[in-house]
């Protein structure tokens, strides 16, 4: 997991941004983070942790491998409290990714899925 503005994160600068599952695009904004697995962008946490974009770049692997990276970054203090309201422009609680997030420690909250320290 890297900050979206980290020079080691090539998407949006050196490489064109992949298209997100829900059609959104990532932004190299301060406070946003990307999850790279083997150099491929697989997830993007927008600044403030309220929305998440996923990318269909690794169909041969576990589609929720990026969840572990987000939880680990949170445990290490690189990501603060996360209250994900939208995933791929859908409500987080009804997203196909919701079960994997819940299994990793996210809980249903008032506005979406929340991960506390």
């Amino acid at each position: 997991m890297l900050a979206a503005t980290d020079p080691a994160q090539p998407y949006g600068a050196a490489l064109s941004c992949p298209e997100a599952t829900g059609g959104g695009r990532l932004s190299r904004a301060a406070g946003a983070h990307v999850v790279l697995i083997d150099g491929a962008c697989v997830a993007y946490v927008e600044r403030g942790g309220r929305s998440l974009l996923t990318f269909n770049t690794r169909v041969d692997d576990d589609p929720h491998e990026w969840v572990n990276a987000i939880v680990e970054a949170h445990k290490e203090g690189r990501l603060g409290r996360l209250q994900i309201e939208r995933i791929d422009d859908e409500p987080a609680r009804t997203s196909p990714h919701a079960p994997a997030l819940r299994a990793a420690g996210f809980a249903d909250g008032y506005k979406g899925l929340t991960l506390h320290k």
Side-chain angles (χ1 to χ4, degrees):
M1 176 165 266
L2 295 172
T5 56
D6 191 315
Q9 191 283 102
Y11 293 95
L15 299 175
S16 62
C17 297
E19 187 171 324
T21 303
R25 294 185 55 90
L26 63 91
S27 170
R28 291 179 66 95
H33 290 80
V34 293
V35 178
L36 303 177
I37 297 177
D38 294 335
C41 184
V42 294
Y44 172 77
V45 180
E46 291 186 351
R47 176 178 49 198
R50 285 188 164 55
S51 71
L52 176 71
L53 298 175
T54 63
F55 302 90
N56 290 325
T57 56
R58 297 176 55 91
V59 294
D60 57 331
D61 292 331
D62 176 4
H64 297 114
E65 190 175 1
W66 51 266
V67 173
N68 295 330
I70 291 173
V71 171
E72 195 61 33
H74 174 74
K75 287 180 182 177
E76 293 172 355
R78 293 186 286 146
L79 284 175
R81 179 176 179 260
L82 292 171
Q83 182 175 305
I84 300 173
E85 298 172 10
R86 305 211 47 90
I87 300 173
D88 296 328
D89 206 27
E90 296 179 22
R93 286 186 283 216
T94 59
S95 165
H97 302 294
L101 290 164
R102 287 183 187 107
F106 281 79
D108 288 289
Y110 175 66
K111 292 186 176 184
L113 299 171
T114 304
L115 184 61
H116 297 281
K117 285 192 174 187

